[in-house]
């Protein structure tokens, strides 16, 4: 076995079993672009269009998928988006930025730094994926706490909820439509993932999301839902904190805790192997680390793959 483990498929998700993406109007001029099944690298995006003006929330992982997304945006908006907002730096949400050269790319100031630093690292984790001829395009406009964007008559509020999924997360909130695009602060049917951010920060961010009073929640991965998705993610994170406290008290490592506890009530979520790196973040915080303090993500990916029995499958 090499450092990253062999390329083994997830037994419950055979290669090629994912369904085509679907663009659905969830409010007047507001669309959710959902890529089933929502597992590794199969993220969601959003389109906001009014009066010939357009905004795209996130792009996608591969050149082929990005060009398909572009075609769908043109179909519903009639023109390329003027703005692209990246909810965080991960490649599945940003690699497709280059397919929208007409757009100004916007993100949190930390997201710009992290996109530039990460480069195409995600593509190296799954070398068998056909990523295409990618070009890294970081945000050229950044903000610190909040920013307001206007798309025709529609208003979108960009909110940085603090360190959560990453240190540079952005939530896109449409107050009149009561729609929120959460990025990976919220997952739907998939396991939350916060080793590059914070467990406690994620819980605080979920409280911020809940206070918005959204009716429609577009998660970073998985089906669109309502505010119950926030509750589901909160429950997972609270269990994560409890397992970390109990594991530390018992003198167990995060990997040992993951093996003994398993996914528990969250066994139905995709990508349960994320429990291992998530526990490392929870352990670090229980030991006094600040949210966002860097962990060795490459080492955690190797340990997660070992626990999983091979590199997790990415069907991008």
């Amino acid at each position: 076995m090499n450092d990253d483990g062999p390329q083994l498929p997830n037994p419950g998700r055979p290669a090629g079993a994912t369904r085509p993406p679907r663009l659905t109007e969830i409010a007047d001029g507001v669309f959710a672009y959902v890529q089933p099944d929502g597992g590794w690298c199969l993220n969601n995006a959003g389109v906001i269009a009014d009066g010939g003006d357009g905004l795209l929330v996130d792009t996608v992982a591969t050149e082929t998928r990005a060009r398909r997304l572009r075609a769908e945006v043109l179909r519903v908006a009639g023109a390329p988006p003027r703005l692209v907002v990246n909810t965080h730096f991960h490649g599945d949400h940003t690699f497709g930025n280059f397919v929208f050269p007409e757009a100004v790319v916007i993100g949190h100031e930390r997201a710009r730094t992290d996109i530039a630093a990460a480069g195409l690292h995600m593509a190296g984790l799954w070398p068998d994926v056909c990523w295409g001829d990618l070009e890294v395009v970081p945000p050229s406009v950044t903000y610190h706490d909040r920013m307001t964007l206007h798309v025709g008559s529609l208003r979108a509020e960009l909110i940085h909820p603090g360190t959560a999924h990453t240190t540079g997360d952005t939530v896109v909130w449409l107050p009149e439509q009561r729609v929120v695009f959460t990025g990976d602060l919220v997952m739907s049917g998939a396991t939350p993932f916060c080793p590059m951010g914070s467990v406690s920060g994620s819980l605080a961010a979920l409280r911020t999301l809940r206070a918005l009073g959204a009716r429609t929640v577009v998660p970073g991965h998985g089906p669109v839902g309502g505010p119950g998705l926030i509750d589901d993610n909160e429950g997972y994170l609270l269990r994560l904190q409890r397992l970390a406290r109990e594991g530390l008290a018992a003198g167990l490592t995060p990997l040992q805790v993951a093996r003994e506890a398993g996914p528990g009530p969250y066994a139905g979520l995709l990508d349960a192997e994320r429990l291992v790196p998530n526990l490392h973040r929870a352990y670090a915080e229980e030991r006094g680390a600040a949210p966002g303090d860097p962990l060795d993500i490459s080492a955690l990916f190797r340990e997660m793959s070992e626990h999983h029995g091979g590199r997790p499958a990415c069907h991008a």
Side-chain angles (χ1 to χ4, degrees), residues 284-297:
E285 292 185 5
E286 290 294 327
R287 289 170 170 152
D293 278 356
L295 301 179
D296 188 341
I297 299 301

Side-chain angles (χ1 to χ4, degrees), residues 66-158:
R67 296 199 182 281
R68 180 186 293 171
L69 172 61
R70 180 181 174 89
E72 286 294 283
V73 173
L74 292 174
R75 181 177 65 83
V76 299
R82 178 173 57 91
L83 306 170
V84 169
V85 174
N86 290 147
T87 60
H88 60 288
F89 80 92
H90 290 159
D92 51 337
H93 295 255
T94 64
F95 279 174
N97 288 357
F98 79 102
V99 171
F100 300 91
E102 309 90 344
V104 174
V105 181
I106 302 170
H108 187 261
E109 57 195 16
R110 289 298 300 269
R112 172 181 165 82
T113 301
D114 290 341
I115 287 170
L120 297 176
H121 178 263
M122 176 179 279
L125 297 176
W126 287 281
D128 291 342
V129 169
C130 183
W131 297 96
D133 189 14
L134 299 176
E135 177 187 348
V136 176
V137 178
S140 58
V141 174
T142 63
Y143 75 101
H144 183 68
D145 290 319
R146 297 181 76 112
M147 174 183 281
T148 301
L149 302 176
H150 296 275
V151 182
S153 64
L154 304 180
R155 176 164 59 97
E157 302 287 346
L158 308 189

Side-chain angles (χ1 to χ4, degrees), residues 29-54:
V30 182
F31 302 81
Y33 186 77
V34 176
Q35 297 191 105
D37 60 3
W40 290 104
C41 301
L42 291 172
N43 67 299
N44 297 334
V47 182
I48 301 166
D50 184 63
D53 200 1

